[in-house]
Amino acid sequence: MMMYRMKPALIKPLVFIACLFPLVFGIWAGFTDQLGANPIEEITHRTGDWALRLLLITLAVTPLRRMLGWGWLLRVRRMLGLFAFFYACLHLLTYFVLDQFFDWDEILKDIIKRPYITIGFSAFVLLVPLAVTSTNAMMRRLGKRWGQLHQLVYVVAVFGILHYLWLVKADYLLPLIHAAILLALLLVRAWYQRQALSTRRTAPQTS
Amino acid sequence: MLIKRPDDIKPSDITDEKIYHQRRAFLQAGSRAALAVAAGAVVPGLMFPGEAAAQVAALQFKKNARFSTDEEINSLKDITRYNNFYEFGTDKKDPAKYAHTLKTDPWNVRVEGEVEKPADYQLEDLIRESQLEERIYRMRCVEAWSMVIPWVGIPLSALIKRFKPTSKARYVEFTTLYDPAQMPGQKRGVLNWPYVEGLRMDEAMHPLTLLAVGLYGKVLPNQNGAPMRLVVPWKYGFKNIKSIVKIRFTETMPNTTWNLSGPQEYGFYANVNPEVDHPRWSQSRERRIGEFFKRKTKMFNGYEEQVASLYSGMDLRHSY
């Protein structure tokens, strides 16, 4: 905690490096034959896991900042969100290239016919405008509508977890843990929002 | 349905001219293997509890070329480190990590139901080393991956004939060991424990249906279903029940574990069929472990010629 107060400039590079860890570790595992018997499946799972984890971490920024008073968290939120998008891109690319090898016919059939792929792909599509509008210039240009647009991230998170839940065979533990975390984050937000609303309501009366 | 031509596995079917005796040097870890040799007729690895012995003990067997594919065999590493054996965890790496707690010696198998001689057997009474043969089979998982595996075992039909099923026996039901202390994955209710699988009698009697006790010429590693597992190569992998402790002959179709878990997704028959998709994914192609491009899945996993007649007149879309 002391560190970031003294050297705030370090926070962003540190988070950046930390977010690259899964990728670097994955590449290292690939070169040292540690991805198991089915490397394509393993890469698919790892990139998907990290996309979802980083998405939940991104969503945790605001509640954590409020609860713990860590102002610096807000400064890495965009980076975390973009890394979630980055791993989602890798996840999708793994599916397109390694798993299906550009068999667009099969891919299209999958997207239309398989609910878990339909919803996973939708989650990705919805992430794209959020990534595109993540720059300062876009924030300024969109003004109020930026915030409205970025509410989509909750839909993406719900879709991402449904994607996970619908693809597992019998063991729902991990997807349910993710779902529980998302639910907790949403409840915290709802609670803060209610508080904010009630203070706004009571404010005119007291003044 | 009655037992269909119970004598359709003539000894000549098994001892094909291509079969030859292969004397295998008893390898590695000298003293233990030497003891195994001394054990003679019984399956040597069963003499020694614990995984180390099971990994080491070599088996003597005949190669059954007639029932074997000549496709490239998957590595022992792939076959023993990528397993669906939920009794040890739901990750495919879990069985290799945790199956060492399974104690395979002594191993009791109860035979009951519609048989003339219901009884408890020790594994070494059921399967003698002199009967063993190696068969290289394709294995197609319901998750759309596949392997080629050199099993060592005996045709299930040979055992069933010894048990003398009654005329009421239309199905065979198999049960896996239930012991959460040895199988830690059973502490979680991911599936209905114990694992149960079943076959129609004619499927069980089919010459391709194997009871495997070995892999790559050695005693079956725990994570692959030691000490005795079923191998039905034209069906999805989950039919190949592992670590069997009970064989029951029944008049009615057994309730099988995955069928209970997801009746629309996992049928009793579970024949490999590229035409009938799993509701959540396509079954038309598969990834052979070790290959980059997916290959087309074959009807009955490529055993159509041998087994299609078992299902003539059946709607395989309905009886999936």
Side-chain angles (χ1 to χ4, degrees):
Chain A
M1 269 176 91
M2 288 312 288
M3 184 197 65
Y4 72 79
R5 276 196 191 131
M6 284 185 288
K7 299 218 165 135
L10 269 180
I11 294 157
K12 277 195 175 179
L14 279 177
V15 172
F16 188 88
I17 290 167
C19 286
L20 277 176
F21 242 76
L23 177 67
V24 173
F25 188 73
I27 291 170
W28 178 75
F31 278 108
T32 52
D33 192 23
Q34 288 178 71
L35 290 176
N38 195 346
I40 296 174
E41 179 191 63
E42 181 72 18
I43 295 167
T44 309
H45 288 173
R46 284 189 190 202
T47 49
D49 281 346
W50 280 105
L52 201 53
R53 282 173 197 155
L54 282 162
L55 195 66
L56 291 181
I57 291 171
T58 310
L59 285 176
V61 163
T62 302
L64 279 180
R65 183 176 61 91
R66 284 195 177 151
M67 280 191 287
L68 306 170
W70 293 356
W72 58 272
L73 268 174
L74 199 58
R75 305 201 303 143
V76 294
R77 188 174 66 174
R78 170 164 53 194
M79 191 194 288
L80 288 167
L82 283 172
F83 265 111
F85 179 67
F86 172 67
Y87 282 101
C89 287
L90 291 181
H91 185 59
L92 195 73
L93 272 176
T94 307
Y95 168 67
F96 282 171
V97 182
L98 299 181
D99 191 50
Q100 301 288 343
F101 199 68
F102 308 108
D103 191 337
W104 299 113
D105 208 39
E106 282 292 323
I107 291 169
L108 197 70
K109 262 195 260 170
D110 264 359
I111 293 174
I112 294 165
K113 272 176 85 175
R114 315 291 165 195
Y116 85 90
I117 295 179
T118 313
I119 204 150
F121 188 72
S122 308
F124 178 82
V125 170
L126 292 178
L127 261 182
V128 174
L130 304 193
V132 169
T133 58
S134 66
T135 60
N136 286 336
M138 279 308 248
M139 279 178 88
R140 272 196 303 275
R141 247 173 79 180
L142 289 170
K144 237 188 193 164
R145 280 176 304 158
W146 187 90
Q148 289 166 346
L149 176 68
H150 280 247
Q151 298 280 315
L152 267 180
V153 72
Y154 302 111
V155 180
V156 173
V158 170
F159 280 15
I161 284 165
L162 285 176
H163 167 66
Y164 194 2
L165 200 66
W166 291 349
L167 73 86
V168 295
K169 254 170 78 201
D171 188 353
Y172 298 104
L173 183 66
L174 281 172
L176 288 179
I177 288 174
H178 285 76
I181 292 171
L182 178 64
L183 188 69
L185 291 174
L186 290 176
L187 286 176
V188 171
R189 262 161 207 272
W191 188 71
Y192 277 123
Q193 223 158 41
R194 244 183 77 177
Q195 272 209 323
L197 228 87
S198 61
T199 47
R200 231 178 283 158
R201 263 191 217 130
T202 50
Q205 291 169 352
T206 48
S207 63
Chain B
M1 182 175 301
L2 292 172
I3 306 168
K4 205 173 158 190
R5 294 184 291 130
D7 56 350
D8 66 354
I9 311 113
K10 297 179 285 278
S12 59
D13 278 350
I14 295 161
T15 38
D16 191 88
E17 78 273 7
K18 282 180 192 161
I19 299 165
Y20 57 96
H21 288 268
Q22 197 201 34
R23 298 254 169 231
R24 282 226 160 197
F26 281 83
L27 328 147
Q28 301 158 2
S31 61
R32 274 182 174 168
L35 267 168
V37 178
V42 294
V43 180
L46 306 178
M47 301 282 296
F48 308 103
E51 53 150 5
Q55 307 278 1
V56 164
L59 296 167
Q60 280 190 302
F61 55 85
K62 294 168 276 191
K63 288 201 175 202
N64 189 327
R66 180 174 166 194
F67 287 135
S68 292
T69 170
D70 52 11
E71 288 161 87
E72 196 185 334
I73 302 172
N74 279 96
S75 72
L76 182 66
K77 188 179 163 192
D78 284 352
I79 297 170
T80 56
R81 293 193 202 175
Y82 189 75
N83 308 95
N84 275 326
F85 196 174
Y86 282 14
E87 280 79 349
F88 297 105
T90 53
D91 192 292
K92 289 188 185 59
K93 294 184 284 277
D94 286 341
K97 280 187 222 161
Y98 306 119
H100 60 89
T101 49
L102 176 66
K103 211 172 154 276
T104 56
D105 178 46
W107 192 267
N108 189 71
V109 181
R110 172 157 295 175
V111 177
E112 59 178 34
E114 300 294 343
V115 273
E116 280 178 26
K117 300 194 274 182
D120 278 3
Y121 295 88
Q122 288 301 302
L123 181 63
E124 51 270 36
D125 301 329
L126 283 183
I127 297 177
R128 299 192 175 276
E129 199 172 6
S130 58
Q131 303 172 289
L132 294 180
E133 47 184 279
E134 182 184 72
R135 297 180 178 201
I136 301 162
Y137 281 164
R138 290 177 288 274
M139 211 272 298
R140 167 63 156 80
C141 179
V142 74
E143 296 166 1
W145 54 267
S146 63
M147 291 196 192
V148 176
I149 304 176
W151 301 107
V152 178
I154 68 165
L156 175 62
S157 60
L159 264 190
I160 291 182
K161 276 190 242 170
R162 263 178 67 193
F163 300 146
K164 298 201 193 325
T166 70
S167 59
K168 281 185 178 170
R170 295 178 58 206
Y171 296 91
V172 201
E173 177 191 281
F174 305 86
T175 308
T176 296
L177 174 72
Y178 176 71
D179 183 357
Q182 293 186 62
M183 297 180 144
Q186 291 175 332
K187 288 173 189 159
R188 291 183 52 218
V190 177
L191 291 171
N192 259 326
W193 310 118
Y195 197 96
V196 172
E197 258 309 336
L199 294 172
R200 217 169 55 189
M201 204 58 182
D202 55 345
E203 298 175 324
M205 293 302 289
H206 193 278
L208 280 171
T209 304
L210 196 73
L211 266 183
V213 295
L215 176 67
Y216 257 100
K218 295 182 189 176
V219 164
L220 208 55
N222 285 358
Q223 63 266 35
N224 292 86
M228 183 174 82
R229 65 167 292 165
L230 188 65
V231 181
V232 193
W234 70 91
K235 291 178 180 284
Y236 291 120
F238 68 87
K239 292 297 286 184
N240 300 339
I241 184 169
K242 305 183 178 87
S243 305
I244 297 166
V245 292
K246 193 160 81 181
I247 302 175
R248 181 182 175 82
F249 294 82
T250 64
E251 211 177 344
T252 52
M253 188 183 275
N255 287 319
T256 56
T257 300
W258 276 105
N259 183 239
L260 288 173
S261 167
Q264 327 79 340
E265 303 194 330
Y266 312 100
F268 173 81
Y269 288 98
N271 293 317
V272 175
N273 188 342
E275 307 290 316
V276 178
D277 284 345
H278 184 283
R280 287 185 280 154
W281 55 82
S282 162
Q283 294 292 25
S284 67
R285 295 180 305 156
E286 68 200 48
R287 172 159 291 114
R288 175 71 50 84
I289 295 302
E291 291 181 354
F292 178 72
F293 292 105
K294 290 188 176 182
R295 42 167 83 208
K296 282 205 152 64
T297 290
K298 291 182 181 157
M299 190 64 202
F300 296 112
N301 200 22
Y303 298 96
E304 186 170 13
E305 204 181 307
Q306 292 99 315
V307 302
S309 61
L310 295 173
Y311 310 102
S312 55
M314 273 176 66
D315 178 1
L316 297 177
R317 210 162 269 283
H318 180 256
S319 304
Y320 52 84

